[in-house]
Amino acid sequence: MNIIITGGAGFIGSHVVRLFVNKYPEYKIINLDKLTYAGNLANLKDIEDKPNYKFVKMDICDFDGVYKLMQDEKVDGIIHLAAESHVDRSIKDPFTFAQTNVMGTLSMLQAAKLYWENLPEKFEGKRFYHISTDEVYGALEMTHPEGIKPPFTTKASSGEHHLAYGEKFFTEDLKYQPHSPYSAAKASSDHFVRAFHDTYGLPIIVTNCSNNYGPYQFPEKLIPLFINNIRHRKPLPVYGKGENVRDWLYVEDHARAIDLIFHKGKIAETYNIGGFNEWKNIDIIKVVINTVDRLLGRPEGQDMDLITYVTDRAGHDMRYAIDSSKLQRELGWEPSLQFEEGIEKTVRWYLDNQEWMDNVTSGDYLKYYEDMYAGR
Ligand code: NAD
Ligand code: DAU
């Protein structure tokens, strides 16, 4: 197969590209990425010279470019991750989110449709897999702030911290109720993807995943931002009371789910992906502080004084919790890591890769691209 992975230089995309390039030497993997502030080719240093890998710097909104690339590369599959992904940025600049997440997705859909429908085999053996988020479902109520025993268990979440903070979970049949400009734009793109199936028969799959954590995440997101701030003893800005709940999944487990669903998922289906692993922000922050302190040889908990409560995020969703039992039941997927193990691995990676972090926080990686692509 020849597969375009969009957004492959970003956080989740780089793990998906790495997995596919290493696992399927017989495939050609084309990483299509605009290299916005969130795209970083240093995330893929270990595979950039592999013969089955190719990087193309391109904007998904460039319809002509995308259409030509699909023809030139005889593309059979698309795994679409490219997006503006940070909620706080979407609150400040909603236009960019609508442009990339909605118009960019539409450009990818239309190019795939036009290219594939003119082939002799048409849509046979083709796949357009759209990666979406649990935020499209809106926010769940926190009916049990003290935590209750959840009805589900998985390998990753069976530890002692595994509590649910309400009886309800996001299931695939829930109505979309996005609140932030980011999730509204993702919801809109999901609707376009399904419309292309219902109208033209495009072979699509959509998945909605919970919060990912792990190596190579841009340090504007909670976990890498806080790890870096703790290391440098800078304040940790906790929004509101720190009581909001997120459901965390190790990024490599998301990449494994994407691999499984791309190959075995049913066309036109939606699958929710998550590890039944709910945490209040403040609890996860305490785990991160203790882990960083321990790994740096500081007295555990010393850096709790960095916690600084700040003004809440506008429209801050209270609770996300994914019910991924359909994926577990139908395709046999399970997360591989206990959360404590995943967090330890993640903190260790950021502390061991300070050069990567410094490069990103100083903005040096962007200057490198400006030079690399100067005059093009
Ligand atoms: P990210 O911000 O780390 O990476 C996004 C990538 O897309 C970057 O490499 C960027 O350069 C590229 N990109 C942005 N605009 C582009 C454009 N116009 N053309 C081409 N490339 C462009 O994002 P992420 O956290 O890795 O998320 C990837 C996808 O997964 C997104 O669609 C996001 O909505 C979804 N998702 C993320 C999470 C999470 O927790 N991070 C959870 C569920 C779903
Ligand atoms: O649920 C999936 C989504 O998870 C993805 O679709 C998004 O792309 C991804 O960014 C993530 O969204 P969140 O808004 O949940 O992630 P973030 O890391 O920005 O914030 C996690 C929680 O921590 C959230 O409740 C806000 C809070 N927070 C975040 C930051 C950056 C803070 O309290 N302080 C902070 O400085």
Side-chain angles (χ1 to χ4, degrees), residues 10-12 33-34 36 39 59-60 81 85 132 182 186 210 212:
F11 166 47
I12 303 171
D33 199 297
K34 182 182 173 182
T36 66
D59 188 334
I60 53 169
L81 296 111
S85 70
S132 193
Y182 161 67
K186 289 296 288 186
S210 60
N212 285 215

Side-chain angles (χ1 to χ4, degrees), residues 44 57 80 91 108 113 118 122 128 138 140 163 179 190 204 240 264 290 304 346 371:
L44 291 164
K57 180 170 159 44
H80 177 41
I91 295 168
M108 292 299 301
K113 172 193 167 279
N118 286 309
K122 301 203 179 297
F128 190 107
L140 292 164
L163 291 175
H179 296 133
D190 294 11
I204 62 102
K264 302 264 169 60
N290 282 333
M304 293 292 170
T346 301
D371 293 346

Side-chain angles (χ1 to χ4, degrees), residues 85 133-135 182 211 220 222 237 239 246 281 313 316:
S85 70
T133 170
D134 60 358
E135 301 199 12
Y182 161 67
N211 285 62
E220 62 189 350
L222 181 77
Y239 298 164
R246 295 292 180 266
N281 289 342
R313 174 185 276 174
H316 198 172

Side-chain angles (χ1 to χ4, degrees), residues 106-125:
L106 186 52
S107 154
M108 292 299 301
L109 287 164
Q110 180 73 349
K113 172 193 167 279
L114 286 182
Y115 169 52
W116 289 339
E117 74 183 3
N118 286 309
L119 294 174
E121 74 274 23
K122 301 203 179 297
F123 294 150
E124 191 58 43

Side-chain angles (χ1 to χ4, degrees), residues 18 21-22 29 45-54:
R18 175 175 297 100
V21 165
N22 287 330
I29 304 300
K45 271 254 158 294
D46 52 326
I47 56 107
E48 66 185 6
D49 293 328
K50 297 261 176 154
N52 61 338
Y53 171 72
K54 179 173 174 176

